[in-house]
Amino acid sequence: MSLTDEQVSSPPLSLSERAYAAIQDKLIMLEIPPMAPIDEVGLVESLGVGRTPVREALKRLEVDRLVVSYARRGTFATAVEISDLAYISEIRVQLEPLAARRAAENAGPAMREDLAELADATDALEVPSLTRDELMRWDLRVHRAVYRASGNPHLEDTLVRYDNLATRIFCIFLDRMTDFVSHVEEHAGLLRTIAEGDADGAARRARQHVLGFEKAIRAVI
């Protein structure tokens, strides 16, 4: 992901926010692998921004646990430990159902229509033909849509952070996993249940999805 002139000049995001989004994407999608050193000069050149926005972005990413800085050694992408899966799932299994429930209860007509359309688009996917990046980005898109529909920006921010960490784990083990179709089908069912206003059903589906993800990862470790 690079920063085009249009993106740089386009409000409301600042240069540091644009840099943050771009570097975050590289970390989540493992374009910058776990434990790899962060090349600030390379990022400045590839993103077309100055050192200050990149450094501001890296400070935010350290709070997100995507990078870690060491005195006199520099900044590195964080490692992905299998113990992280349990910690992340412990949080997501509580908060993902809450977000789904709130979305089903509070989303307005326009948001419900958007979610229903996203469900239809998800059903129409030819999953076996998707690349790793396409599958991951669709997964992110669905989860972000649910978080946004919850109407709680603090809940949304928290879940985005932990979903980012879960996605890094997903990327690492994706090549060993085989049943992508059911994973995508779960997304469509969750979106449609929210769009229909079924709060209990949405919370139940969200919980099952998180537990199913952890089980699928553990099966291939």
Side-chain angles (χ1 to χ4, degrees):
M1 179 182 291
S2 62
L3 300 180
T4 65
D5 291 339
E6 180 181 354
Q7 286 176 314
V8 169
S9 62
S10 168
L13 296 182
S14 67
L15 286 174
S16 63
E17 289 170 328
R18 293 287 182 179
Y20 171 78
I23 301 169
Q24 180 190 69
D25 184 80
K26 292 176 183 292
L27 291 161
I28 294 170
M29 304 303 292
L30 305 188
E31 184 177 339
I32 301 175
M35 303 178 70
I38 303 298
D39 180 3
E40 287 191 22
V41 174
L43 288 171
V44 167
E45 293 175 351
S46 66
L47 302 181
V49 298
R51 281 181 175 269
T52 298
V54 167
R55 287 177 176 173
E56 289 175 350
L58 290 174
K59 288 179 181 178
R60 291 179 62 187
L61 290 164
E62 188 164 13
V63 175
D64 293 343
R65 296 182 179 272
L66 289 171
V67 303
V68 58
S69 295
Y70 299 101
R72 296 182 296 279
R73 288 182 56 196
T75 302
F76 297 78
T78 51
V80 176
E81 307 288 351
I82 194 55
S83 59
D84 293 339
L85 177 63
Y87 298 143
I88 294 166
S89 295
E90 184 176 30
I91 296 168
R92 292 181 69 216
V93 79
Q94 300 296 324
L95 297 186
E96 295 266 355
L98 174 61
R101 176 179 294 279
R102 284 188 54 87
E105 292 173 341
N106 301 323
M111 179 67 77
R112 292 183 190 279
E113 183 176 351
D114 288 345
L115 294 174
E117 290 178 356
L118 184 55
D120 291 340
T122 301
D123 275 334
L125 289 175
E126 295 183 6
V127 178
S129 68
L130 296 178
T131 66
R132 188 202 75 163
D133 280 9
E134 288 171 337
L135 183 62
M136 292 296 94
R137 292 187 192 285
W138 196 272
D139 187 88
L140 289 168
R141 179 181 177 186
V142 169
H143 283 276
R144 299 299 185 273
V146 174
Y147 305 158
R148 193 177 311 114
S150 74
N152 183 331
H154 300 287
L155 178 61
E156 179 181 358
D157 288 347
T158 301
L159 278 170
V160 165
R161 178 179 298 178
Y162 286 104
D163 188 51
N164 287 341
L165 298 174
T167 299
R168 294 179 83 214
I169 297 173
F170 200 173
C171 285
I172 287 175
F173 292 102
L174 182 61
D175 290 343
R176 305 185 202 176
M177 301 170 68
T178 56
D179 187 13
F180 302 129
V181 175
S182 63
H183 182 81
V184 173
E185 287 176 346
E186 288 177 10
H187 282 160
L190 173 61
L191 291 166
R192 197 161 281 115
T193 303
I194 293 172
E196 293 169 354
D198 181 357
D200 289 341
R204 182 174 60 254
R205 283 179 179 270
R207 184 174 188 277
Q208 291 171 344
H209 186 68
V210 173
L211 293 174
F213 171 76
E214 181 178 11
K215 182 178 179 181
I217 295 294
R218 292 196 179 280
V220 297
I221 293 174

